Amino acid sequence: MTYRPADLAELREAMVQSAAVGQLLAVSGAGTASQWGGRPEHDAVLDTTAMSELISYNPTDMTVAVQAGMRLSRLQEVLAEHRQWVALDPARGATIGGIVATADAGPSRHQYGGSRDSVIGMTLVLADGTVARSGGHVIKNVAGYDLGKLLHGSLGTLAVVAEVVLRVHPRPAATATLAVPCDAAAAFDLGGQLITTALEPAAVEWCDGTLLARFDGTARGVADRLARARELAGPAATEGTPEQWRGVDRIVLGEQGDTVLRLGTAPDRTPSLAADLHRLAATYAVEAAMTSTLFAGVHTVRLRGGPAAAHAAVVTALRQTYPASTVCRWTPDLEHEITPWGDPPPAVSLLRAVKRRFDPDDRLCPGRFAPWL
């Protein structure tokens, strides 16, 4: 059975109706993160993709309100007509609600922060049909506890996102990329020099052996900063291409048969993570690739080739040193070898208490955070 509401009222009615018969719900948007953090048990699917309308947009205020099922790509097209954009560039073709639920973001996280920094208001529906609102249409507001931030990364386990208000930014007139082949340690050092000067890169990513630093702004300003960055980086530096940025997307998305792992570390641990991954990949005879938003400490690892047991061995070994690791894509049979999440964090009792408060009957995406919840 699938519920496919078209607006807030229908979403609330679906939640009330499913609660009355005790149905377990899997919340779904575009389905691009359906494997993140494990597959939920469910009796019915709550599909938000019919909630895809623009609610309001005032370019002067630089805010936009949308239904949660609108795809980010469609929203960016609307905003582009006024030379604006939401400063998010995740690899997936996700809905706005899906981006909130996964706390996903792309390389622009370096300058603009994650999706939680772009969301200034939200309407959500709890498991019992209660409608709650947080924030509003004003960028700087003090409207009490920010439920929107709590929902980020909750993978649909606390409530269903119905409507979202986002801040927008001017779209840069020009952009250019510095590309430098180097290992992770050299990338961290050079990236540090770039961000401590007045060059102000909008994105600093180390992707599978190449440092990519993107500069946004006016045509003249971008050309000047790129020239100064190339001088700082040395003779190996070149002007990067869009294809090199698409390499980031390919690692994040993976392909059939790949395992994709998302990790978080302190930024200065990037070189040691890259070295550990290289050593483990050689030990277990798998192909490994990695992309890192260097100074946010957000990494994506892709494993390819070899049996599921080899992928499991690499993930398990990484989790011993880097416990904040989540499986986002599963090679076949890997689910029989490892859990989506590693050992529970010290705050797991708080996570469980929040879950009980929001969804006491455990109806929303049960099993999504197994074995933590």
Side-chain angles (χ1 to χ4, degrees):
M1 178 178 182
T2 299
Y3 296 96
R4 199 163 184 265
D7 56 29
L8 176 61
E10 290 185 9
L11 172 57
R12 181 184 179 280
E13 177 58 30
M15 299 297 277
V16 170
Q17 183 179 334
S18 61
V21 294
Q23 287 178 321
L24 307 181
L25 294 178
V27 183
S28 175
T32 57
S34 60
Q35 297 186 15
W36 283 42
R39 303 177 194 276
E41 303 172 17
H42 63 278
D43 304 311
V45 174
L46 196 147
D47 179 348
T48 64
T49 54
M51 301 178 61
S52 59
E53 298 297 321
L54 181 74
I55 298 173
S56 64
Y57 174 36
N58 187 332
T60 303
D61 291 343
M62 303 189 77
T63 62
V64 63
V66 300
Q67 290 183 312
M70 174 180 262
R71 288 182 184 261
L72 176 62
S73 56
R74 173 60 187 139
L75 175 59
Q76 301 288 34
E77 290 175 358
V78 172
L79 301 177
E81 297 174 10
H82 295 273
R83 301 197 61 78
Q84 294 182 339
W85 72 308
V86 176
L88 297 169
D89 51 0
R92 303 177 300 118
T95 62
I96 297 298
I99 289 171
V100 170
T102 56
D104 199 8
S108 292
R109 180 198 301 264
H110 171 80
Q111 177 172 344
Y112 297 99
S115 52
R116 58 183 286 169
D117 299 297
S118 292
V119 174
I120 58 175
M122 187 181 296
T123 299
L124 50 96
V125 183
L126 303 183
D128 64 358
T130 299
V131 176
R133 291 183 171 84
S134 176
H137 290 254
V138 180
I139 292 176
K140 293 182 178 179
N141 67 69
V142 286
Y145 188 79
D146 193 342
L147 283 175
K149 285 186 169 53
L150 183 66
L151 266 287
H152 273 80
S154 63
L155 296 178
T157 59
L158 299 181
V160 180
V161 179
E163 299 170 354
V164 183
V165 185
L166 301 119
R167 65 186 303 174
V168 301
H169 293 269
R171 184 176 289 272
T175 184
T177 295
L178 174 79
V180 186
C182 58
D183 63 21
F188 188 78
D189 290 342
L190 177 56
Q193 294 178 57
L194 292 174
I195 66 173
T196 54
T197 64
L199 297 176
E200 299 182 345
V204 182
E205 190 86 8
W206 181 72
C207 178
D208 204 21
T210 301
L211 173 69
L212 300 172
R214 195 185 78 225
F215 301 94
D216 293 345
T218 63
R220 183 174 179 180
V222 165
D224 175 65
R225 284 185 288 152
L226 179 63
R228 291 160 58 195
R230 290 185 67 167
E231 183 177 352
L232 181 67
T238 61
E239 182 166 357
T241 65
E243 177 60 21
Q244 288 175 299
W245 285 110
R246 285 192 284 273
V248 175
D249 294 350
R250 285 193 289 271
I251 292 176
V252 171
L253 295 173
E255 296 178 357
Q256 181 69 28
D258 293 343
T259 294
V260 176
L261 189 68
R262 182 67 58 91
L263 301 92
T265 72
D268 63 357
R269 300 193 73 187
T270 302
S272 62
L273 170 61
D276 289 343
L277 177 63
H278 179 73
R279 174 178 54 80
L280 290 167
T283 299
Y284 294 100
V286 300
E287 177 189 336
M290 172 177 159
T291 187
S292 300
T293 303
L294 277 176
F295 299 99
V298 177
H299 321 280
T300 302
V301 166
R302 185 192 66 200
L303 304 177
R304 177 172 290 173
H311 289 212
V314 173
V315 173
T316 301
L318 285 174
R319 281 176 171 170
Q320 292 177 2
T321 307
Y322 313 98
S325 307
T326 308
V327 179
C328 299
R329 187 183 189 99
W330 301 76
T331 195
D333 298 325
L334 184 62
E335 289 168 300
H336 304 303
E337 303 276 351
I338 57 173
T339 60
W341 308 82
D343 293 335
V348 70
S349 59
L350 177 60
L351 296 177
R352 290 167 180 162
V354 171
K355 172 66 173 175
R356 286 195 299 271
R357 186 74 173 180
F358 277 75
D359 181 21
D361 297 324
D362 196 19
R363 288 202 313 114
L364 298 180
C365 301
R368 202 73 195 263
F369 275 90
W372 294 3
L373 299 180

